[in-house]
Every structure is written in structure tokens, then in C-alpha cells.
Amino acid sequence: MTDKSLQLTGKSLQRNQINIKSLKEKFIKGLIYFSVFLTFGIVLWILVHIVFNGFVKANKMNILSGDESILPILMNTFYIVVLAVFISTPIGIWTAIYLNEYAGKSKLVHLIRFAIQSLAGIPSIIFGLFGMIVFVVGLNLNWSILSGALTLSIMILPIIIKTTEEALKTVPLSIREGSLALGASKLRTIKGVVIPSALPGIIISIILSIGRIVGETAAVYLTAGMVPRLAGSPLESGRTLSVHLYILAKEGVSFESAYFTATILVIFILFVNMISNKLAKKYNKKLKGN
Amino acid sequence: MTKSNWQEKLNEKLFLISALISIILVFSITLFIFIKGVPAIKEIGLKSFILGAKWKPGNGQYGILPMILGSIYVTIGACIIGVPIGVFTAIYLSEMANKKVVDFLRKVVELLAGIPSVVFGFFGLVTIVPIIDKIFGGGGNSLLASSIILGIMILPTIISISEASMRSVPKEYKEGALALGSTHLDSIFKVILPSASSGIFASIVLALGRAIGETMAIILVSGNTPLIPHSAFDRVRTLTSNIAIEMGYAYGLHQESLFATGVILFVFIMLINGVFIAFSRKVGEANDR
Amino acid sequence: MNSKIIVDNLNFYYGNMKVLNSIDISFYENSITALIGPSGCGKTSFLRILNRLNDTVSNVKVEGNIVLDGTDIYKDMDPITLRKKVGMVFQKPNPFPMSIYDNVAYGPRVHGIKKKNELNEIVERSLKSAFLWDEVKDRLNKSALSLSGGQQQRLCIARALAVEPKVILMDEPTSALDPIATSKIEDLITTLKENYTVIIVTHSMQQAARISDYTAFFLLGKLVEHEKTKYIFESPRDKRTKDYITGMFG
């Protein structure tokens, strides 16, 4: 073999390598695009499938007013949301205020943060068990809207704390000092300018936790029970929308109702996301304008 | 003046007490779950409880090995499906897409994250399960169906955390790689992914926690047979579904054994969360530096 | 001439660092004193000592005596009472994200004034004193953030005036503004001395020369010279002052 032919084989080898390499690149790029397509496609599939079957095809009259009426269940859900938010919001906001405005870097603060992080990681079925032990049986509240709301208020605590703290962090020092310089105390400054400035963020935290409550099933199922009627008082049992969907799907009684319920849930979540996004955008603009 | 001072102090105490509630809650959740669950484990015997392959409360047989394995298999299955799709999507979002597409896709992912788990379960029941049944037979309620649904459910966790960690890789790294003549894709796989690996790993750990704790979606698509699955098409029951399904009618030792199932689940979760918290702290410290 | 504030042998530490070194200075009633000096000389820290705003920062220590109208502000007065008497205007306009009216009424409300007509009167008076009334009287309920930068700064001055302070501290109040807005604020400041004692930190020597009665020159945490502005600019005693004023450094 001459030198020249050696060189040639070398070159073609190189070319082959480049070809293999660009083929590999194309393959990986294909995988990436395919993954994006899957992610997007799945969401679209879920939305279209559920909304189409639940809204376009289902007999809405029957579900809204007939024997299978969903209205009492909507009301139960509303009650539970209001109660849980009412219980959790003050505690969550106060905690966030403590962490962002008062706490330094002590061991205790580390422990508090660790606890909040842990709460966020505990699965809902465990909250359900805890609610059953403490509220349903321990405090003798039975399966009731109140037991459910108490359990859920624990679940949403980390969301409220975290989102509120983020919002408090964005309040500029200059505004705080402006208030202090007018002779306002620390507490007055927090109440008078810090919280009003962080209000959109705090509202977002509440909206997000409402989304979480409405979507929650396991914990409510074990604490609020599944009576398909309107709860006459917080001490009566009543199923929420998600529990309703679970039971309809599990027992296979009425897929029409199930689709409709699922549609309401999905549209509600769309709504929650939209509002919180809008608020966040407006809020960011305001802060940047400052 | 003293009055307002007094108010200040009182409010600070109120804020502190609120903050302590989280600690009290975590502590009492742990305590109560163990108090209710441990006696059953003692009575049944730890070994025959977690290594017993037969769950027949009617016969006094309380072995939750099938559920432990069920949870593990389903979680692994979910990762096999969710992790590659999630990481690839995150690569696209952080490195390849333009801003408009990113904004749009982020909203899509946010929506996915917000969809209630029971809706995923229902969706799986009416779409995925029949499809599996049609192609492979056997009814469709299976380990595979559970893994697919869970794989979808963990996507938002993996995508958002992985994307954030890829974005935080300094631009200079990438530019350095590009300047050395490597292609865009090369720079992603040889520079960005390794630098972001700890964040991606954290996202996977967090997703593991989500998956192993998920209940309602799984119940609707898994078939719930308390037997050790031998193939992806077998029916499967997880620790979480074991609790949710039988809690409604169980009493006595049977009920206690469900709380005991909760204890085992709790231990799993604590391990996973411990890894996550330790890990994210380490990542945070590395970023601080 | 009456001394409003007397500072006696003031030392100020930030951690282990001594930021201000034995400062002795008096501020006279109904006069404007400009604090000048290169950045990092301690003039802003000094200003924030006078209303104890540094108290909110951890790790700082103040030594010496500062007396306002015969009362030591660190030993015999709490910060809230002090800050009611000593107002402050900041470098960047920092209106609260609320209406123009509420911004001005914030201070009086903090100090317990609740009656609507009383508040109305204070708001109108303060906005007039800050030369802002005519521009905003028809939109008092609009957000303060909708105002221009110069208007925002005048609003902040009105807000400070609303609590009826004796002394007004200003920390480079025009550094974020354009020349027209700056000259409006300078006009405003010169009218303020009729009723208040004004202490202003400024980076601009021209500004100090234009508006102040007294000038104090700070360098490396020390007060180098404090004199009538005229003397400081025409015949400084210290060579360092002369060098700074003629632009040799800084």
C-alpha cells in the first residue's frame, strides 16, 4: 500500500466518523423533539378527551339538576375550601412573616424550615391517616367537612408559607426604610407597607392552595367521608368534587357524570393557573416600574 | 409607648408560635402514625409483616411484601417513562427553544402540574387501560398502566427543576465548549448536563417521593390485586392503595395493619425526603460559593 | 444662632471597621447644611445615625453623644419619637405602592391621627409645601407609582413633612433625577429652611454651593472642615478640602 492510499482510507474513515456523529446528533435531536411533542401532546390529549366527553357529549341537565345533581357536591367543596383557607392562611402568613422579617439564622429557624420542607413532602394519604386518627376519631369530629378542612389546612400550609415568603422577599428595603423613617414601628411597617406590597403574592399563595384543596382526594376521602349529599353543617360528612369523581370512576356507575366532574376540575385548574399567572405578571410589572 | 412596645412583643410571639406549628405538626404526624401502626407490626411480627407475601386479612395473614414491591416497581416504571421525557423536554426548554415557545410550554407544564391526581387516574382508566387491554389483553389494569400514568404525573417536577438547574449553568461554560469547536448538542451533553446533574438528580428524587406517595390515580388503573407482580401486565397494589382501599371497612387488627402499612410508607418517604433535603442543601451551598 | 443638633465625639463601627472617627459638629436651626465628600467617606452612614436608621442593621455600634433640642437621641429617646422629629428623604424616590393621598397620610396615621378632615388638611398642606399640590390635586386617589420620578421625590418630601418634623435629612435626593426635576427640588429645599433644619448629603459640589448655608466636608470617616458654605468654597482652611473642591480627587 502506498502512502497515498493510506491517506485516502484515513480520510474516508474520518468522513465515516463524521457521518456517524451527525447521524447520532440527528437521532438525539429527534428524541428531544419527540419528548417535547409527547409532553405537549399528553396535556392536549387529556384536556381534549375530558372536556369533549364531559362538556360536549354529556347530558348536562341531568347532572346539574336531576338525581345525579352535582350541585350539593360543589357546595361541599366550596365549604371545605373556605374552612381550610380560613384556618391555614393566618398561620401560614404569620409563619412567613416570622421567617422573613424576624428570624435570624438560629438552630430553631433551621428546624422550622426543615419541618416545612418535610410537610411539603409528606404524601396526602399520610395526612389522611393523621386526620383520621386525630380529627375523626381523636377529637370525635367524625367524617365531616370540618375534619376534612382541618386535614387539608395542614396540607396547604407549606404552599402558603413558601409563596408568601417569596412575596415578602420581593418587597424592597427602600420601602421598609421609608416607613421606618416616618416613625413607624417594625410591626406597623410590616402591616402598613410590607404586607400591602406583597399582597398579590399572598393572594397567589391562597389561589394555589385552593387549587390544591379542590384537586385533593386521598386525604379528604379518609376524613370528610363520601356522603353524596349537601353537608348541613361543618360536622356532617360530604364528598367533594374529587372524591365524587373517584367514586364514580371506581364504581363505574356513571361515566357521563364522571366526565362532567373531571371537566369541572380541569377547567377550574385552568382558571387557577390563569389567575395566578395574570396576578404574577401584573405584580412583576409593578415592582419593576418602581 | 409602652403599650405599642407591648403590642410589638405580643405580635412577634404570635408570629413565632405560628412558625412553631409546622414543627409541632411534623412531629405529631410522625408520632401518631407510629403510635397507631407499631403495635400491629409487633403483633404480626416485623419479619412476617414486611416479608410476608400473602395479604389475606380474613385469614389473619398480613404480609405486605407484594405492596412494597408494587410501590417500588411502579415507581421505577414511572421513572423509566418520566425521567427521559422530562429531561429531554427540559433540555429543549433551557437550551433550544426561543422565549415565546418557552413561555407557552411552561404554562403547559404548569397546567399538567395542577391537574388533580384523580383526574389522571380517571383519564388512565378510560384511555390507557383500554389501549393496553386491546394490544396485550389481560384487562389493561396493570403495572404498566400505573407506571405510564405516574410517569406523566412526575413530568412537571422533573421538567421544571431540571430546566432551572440547566439554566443556572454559567454561560461561559457553554461558550467555552463552543469555542473549542464542539457542536451545540455536544456542549449540552458534555458540559451542561454534567454541570446540572445534581439538580437533575434532585428532581428525580423529588419525583420518586411524589410517585411512591401517589394514591388515587394508581388505584384507578392498577387493578389492586395484592400479589407480587411478575410482568408489566400483571395487576399490582401499592402501599398507598392498600391503605385507601381497605380503610373504609377495616377494623381491629386489620385496621391497625393498615396504619402499619402507613408506617412503612412513611419510612420510605422519610428516606427519600432526607436524601432530597440533604442534597438540595448541598446544591444550595455549592451555588452560594 | 441656635444649635438644633449637637454631635459630640461620635464614633461609629460597622463590625470591626471604624466608619466614623470622633465627629464633632453642630447643625443650626433654619439652615441647610450640605455634607460632601468622596463616596465611602461615611457621610451617608452619618446621616442614618441622625435618625437611628442604622439601628435596623445588625452588627453596628454607635459611641458618643448626639443631642437634639437638649435630649440625647440614643440614650434618652426611642427611635420612633426621634424619627417623628427627624424626617428623611432617600436617594431614590421610594413611594409606597398605594395612592398619593395614602402616601402622605401614612405618617400622620402612624402617629394616631384618624379624623378624616384633619388628615385632608395635613395632606393638602404637605403637598402644597412640596410644590406638588397643583399637579396632583385631581388625582389624589391614583397610585403614587404613576407619578414621574421628580414628582415621586416631591411626594416623598411631602410625606416626610406630613409628620411635622423639626429636621429633614436628605440622602442625595436628586441623584436619580433629570436636571429639570432636580432644579425644582432644589428650589423646594431652599424654601424648607424657613420652617425646618435641613441636612443634605450631596455628590454635587454645585448643588452644595447653590443651596446650602453650611458645608461639612468628610474624608475617610473624619470631618475635615465645617464652615459657612461661602468660606468652604472660596477660602477653605484645609488643603484636603481645597483639593476636593477644585477636583483634585474624589
Side-chain angles (χ1 to χ4, degrees):
Chain A
M1 229 193 278
T2 61
D3 282 359
K4 214 171 184 183
S5 69
L6 243 174
Q7 243 178 1
L8 268 176
T9 42
K11 258 188 189 160
S12 71
L13 242 170
Q14 223 177 15
R15 199 170 299 142
N16 267 342
Q17 271 176 343
I18 289 170
N19 271 340
I20 288 169
K21 202 172 170 200
S22 78
L23 223 98
K24 213 172 114 190
E25 288 230 330
K26 271 193 187 135
F27 177 68
I28 290 173
K29 267 201 177 138
L31 275 181
I32 290 176
Y33 286 119
F34 182 62
S35 301
V36 176
F37 168 76
L38 269 181
T39 306
F40 177 66
I42 286 165
V43 178
L44 196 70
W45 186 19
I46 295 176
L47 286 186
V48 169
H49 180 87
I50 285 179
V51 174
F52 177 74
N53 285 292
F55 211 68
V56 183
K57 273 170 74 183
N59 177 357
K60 276 153 284 185
M61 282 320 289
N62 195 29
I63 297 164
L64 283 174
S65 59
D67 294 341
E68 292 176 21
S69 173
I70 202 172
L71 289 180
I73 290 152
L74 275 172
M75 287 312 289
N76 289 340
T77 312
F78 177 73
Y79 290 152
I80 269 201
V81 165
V82 170
L83 264 175
V85 167
F86 185 76
I87 299 166
S88 197
T89 305
I91 300 175
I93 293 177
W94 290 336
T95 303
I97 291 176
Y98 179 76
L99 289 175
N100 198 56
E101 309 290 326
Y102 289 91
K105 274 191 171 167
S106 64
K107 276 246 160 70
L108 181 69
V109 174
H110 259 299
L111 194 63
I112 293 170
R113 290 193 186 280
F114 177 79
I116 295 164
Q117 225 171 344
S118 304
L119 268 188
I122 293 175
S124 54
I125 187 91
I126 298 279
F127 284 107
L129 286 182
F130 176 73
M132 231 181 114
I133 299 168
V134 174
F135 304 126
V136 176
V137 180
L139 297 176
N140 207 13
L141 299 173
N142 292 323
W143 281 280
S144 64
I145 298 284
L146 184 60
S147 298
L150 284 166
T151 310
L152 285 170
S153 67
I154 303 173
M155 280 183 69
I156 60 173
L157 202 53
I159 304 177
I160 296 189
I161 296 173
K162 236 185 123 192
T163 319
T164 303
E165 204 191 342
E166 292 299 316
L168 292 175
K169 269 191 194 141
T170 61
V171 178
L173 181 67
S174 67
I175 288 185
R176 297 162 191 270
E177 289 196 333
S179 169
L180 291 172
L182 289 169
S185 65
K186 183 169 185 175
L187 182 64
R188 180 72 197 219
T189 298
I190 291 170
K191 286 184 178 167
V193 297
V194 176
I195 290 183
S197 308
L199 200 59
I202 296 174
I203 293 173
I204 290 175
S205 82
I206 296 173
I207 292 174
L208 290 178
S209 46
I210 292 175
R212 178 81 197 267
I213 295 170
V214 171
E216 180 50 41
T217 314
V220 199
Y221 175 74
L222 289 182
T223 53
M226 44 193 180
V227 176
R229 281 192 315 267
L230 179 66
S233 85
L235 291 173
E236 280 177 34
S237 166
R239 63 167 79 151
T240 62
L241 273 181
S242 299
V243 174
H244 188 54
L245 172 58
Y246 169 70
I247 291 164
L248 291 175
K250 187 91 178 53
E251 293 172 354
V253 196
S254 161
F255 271 55
E256 213 174 49
S257 281
Y259 271 118
F260 187 75
T261 311
T263 305
I264 296 181
L265 284 171
V266 166
I267 289 178
F268 184 78
I269 294 303
L270 264 171
F271 204 64
V272 162
N273 283 2
M274 233 169 58
I275 296 179
S276 57
N277 274 331
K278 273 251 162 70
L279 262 174
K281 220 181 204 172
K282 221 168 145 187
Y283 184 46
N284 283 338
K285 232 187 225 159
K286 197 168 104 184
L287 280 180
K288 267 179 204 153
N290 196 6
Chain B
M1 204 79 320
T2 38
K3 188 193 154 215
S4 86
N5 245 338
W6 182 79
Q7 259 181 350
E8 297 270 318
K9 285 263 146 47
L10 193 76
N11 268 279
E12 192 177 340
K13 287 277 174 304
L14 175 73
F15 300 147
L16 173 64
I17 290 169
S18 294
L20 292 178
I21 287 178
S22 292
I23 298 180
I24 297 167
L25 283 172
V26 170
F27 181 74
S28 48
I29 288 171
T30 316
L31 190 73
F32 278 112
I33 299 287
F34 276 83
I35 286 178
K36 279 293 254 185
V38 169
I41 298 181
K42 267 190 191 147
E43 191 169 336
I44 298 160
L46 181 65
K47 203 173 158 198
S48 50
F49 184 59
I50 59 172
L51 294 179
K54 285 220 168 92
W55 176 264
K56 283 184 183 160
N59 297 348
Q61 283 173 302
Y62 297 99
I64 59 163
L65 186 63
M67 280 64 99
I68 294 179
L69 290 177
S71 280
I72 293 175
Y73 290 165
V74 166
T75 303
I76 292 174
C79 285
I80 292 174
I81 293 165
V83 170
I85 299 178
V87 173
F88 277 136
T89 305
I91 292 175
Y92 178 75
L93 284 176
S94 89
E95 304 302 325
M96 295 159 77
N98 66 39
K99 200 181 167 294
K100 269 201 174 141
V101 178
V102 171
D103 282 346
F104 175 73
L105 278 177
R106 276 209 190 129
K107 280 194 184 122
V108 171
V109 172
E110 231 172 81
L111 178 64
L112 191 64
I115 294 177
S117 61
V118 64
V119 172
F120 280 109
F122 176 63
F123 173 76
L125 179 68
V126 290
T127 56
I128 310 284
V129 168
I131 291 173
I132 294 176
D133 181 41
K134 208 173 256 173
I135 302 176
F136 304 102
N141 284 310
S142 57
L143 174 56
L144 179 63
S146 313
S147 299
I148 292 174
I149 287 300
L150 268 185
I152 297 173
M153 290 177 71
I154 61 172
L155 277 179
T157 309
I158 294 179
I159 294 174
S160 51
I161 299 182
S162 300
E163 191 208 337
S165 62
M166 284 182 216
R167 271 189 197 277
S168 67
V169 174
K171 258 215 168 87
E172 298 82 55
Y173 287 22
K174 194 165 63 178
E175 280 161 4
L178 288 175
L180 288 174
S182 50
T183 61
H184 186 197
L185 220 55
D186 255 349
S187 77
I188 291 174
F189 280 88
K190 297 210 175 113
V191 179
I192 295 181
L193 279 189
S195 321
S197 61
S198 52
I200 296 170
F201 182 71
S203 82
I204 295 172
V205 175
L206 198 62
L208 280 178
R210 286 275 145 81
I212 210 162
E214 181 45 48
T215 313
M216 293 337 226
I218 299 289
I219 294 181
L220 291 174
V221 297
S222 64
N224 300 312
T225 311
L227 291 173
I228 297 173
H230 294 289
S231 88
F233 306 104
D234 279 355
R235 295 164 162 253
V236 63
R237 180 187 284 199
T238 61
L239 291 167
T240 51
S241 11
N242 197 39
I243 302 168
I245 289 172
E246 301 194 0
M247 195 50 104
Y249 55 82
Y251 57 91
L253 182 61
H254 182 193
Q255 195 190 45
E256 280 173 30
S257 71
L258 297 179
F259 284 110
T261 310
V263 171
I264 304 299
L265 173 66
F266 201 79
V267 170
F268 270 101
I269 292 290
M270 283 200 293
L271 284 176
I272 293 173
N273 279 357
V275 171
F276 176 73
I277 290 175
F279 206 79
S280 55
R281 191 160 291 167
K282 218 166 125 195
V283 172
E285 274 166 19
N287 284 345
D288 284 346
R289 247 180 267 143
Chain C
M1 204 159 350
N2 289 328
S3 290
K4 194 74 183 167
I5 298 180
I6 301 165
V7 178
D8 176 27
N9 195 20
L10 171 78
N11 291 307
F12 178 64
Y13 302 85
Y14 194 92
N16 290 325
M17 205 169 60
K18 197 168 188 177
V19 178
L20 291 171
N21 202 339
S22 51
I23 307 285
D24 295 300
I25 190 171
S26 292
F27 297 101
Y28 305 111
E29 211 160 0
N30 299 336
S31 72
I32 299 173
T33 305
L35 309 182
I36 61 168
S39 29
C41 68
K43 55 193 193 301
T44 294
S45 298
F46 178 68
L47 200 69
R48 291 165 60 97
I49 287 170
L50 297 178
N51 68 346
R52 294 184 59 177
L53 206 54
N54 280 327
D55 286 17
T56 58
V57 185
S58 57
N59 219 9
V60 298
K61 198 171 88 193
V62 177
E63 288 171 359
N65 300 313
I66 302 171
V67 175
L68 167 70
D69 284 336
T71 314
D72 191 303
I73 65 167
Y74 275 83
K75 295 179 186 107
D76 303 320
M77 205 185 279
D78 67 289
I80 288 170
T81 318
L82 170 68
R83 289 176 196 152
K84 190 174 177 310
K85 291 181 179 169
V86 181
M88 188 169 202
V89 176
F90 293 79
Q91 196 166 3
K92 263 175 135 182
N94 57 348
F96 303 140
M98 46 180 88
S99 72
I100 294 169
Y101 184 96
D102 288 337
N103 261 279
V104 183
Y106 183 86
R109 279 180 178 144
V110 162
H111 298 293
I113 295 172
K114 290 200 181 87
K115 280 195 198 122
K116 188 75 190 159
N117 51 357
E118 207 173 333
L119 282 173
N120 287 345
E121 195 187 304
I122 293 175
V123 169
E124 184 174 342
R125 178 167 20 104
S126 309
L127 285 169
K128 276 180 176 160
S129 312
F131 299 169
L132 192 60
W133 176 251
D134 289 332
E135 290 162 60
V136 300
K137 64 183 174 201
D138 300 323
R139 46 172 174 150
L140 291 175
N141 289 320
K142 288 268 158 57
S143 165
L145 301 175
S146 65
L147 298 173
S148 72
Q151 288 174 324
Q152 287 189 3
Q153 193 62 303
R154 277 180 281 148
L155 177 69
C156 292
I157 294 175
R159 191 173 69 187
L161 299 180
V163 293
E164 295 175 7
K166 304 275 181 285
V167 179
I168 298 173
L169 309 174
M170 296 185 159
D171 185 8
E172 302 185 35
T174 59
S175 64
L177 303 178
D178 61 68
I180 295 170
T182 298
S183 83
K184 271 191 189 168
I185 299 233
E186 286 183 2
D187 290 347
L188 167 57
I189 293 170
T190 46
T191 66
L192 288 177
K193 70 173 170 184
E194 287 169 27
N195 299 309
Y196 309 93
T197 305
V198 180
I199 304 170
I200 178 171
V201 165
T202 177
H203 252 125
S204 149
M205 237 90 64
Q206 291 87 339
Q207 187 170 64
R210 274 197 302 267
I211 65 175
S212 69
D213 304 308
Y214 295 88
T215 297
F217 173 56
F218 282 76
L219 186 63
L220 300 169
K222 284 187 178 148
L223 175 62
V224 176
E225 197 166 346
H226 175 221
E227 252 311 336
K228 283 206 160 149
T229 300
K230 207 168 65 180
Y231 298 138
I232 288 263
F233 281 90
E234 283 169 7
S235 52
R237 266 180 284 130
D238 198 292
K239 185 176 177 300
R240 290 167 295 177
T241 316
K242 191 179 174 194
D243 287 349
Y244 181 70
I245 284 163
T246 52
M248 301 284 284
F249 64 89

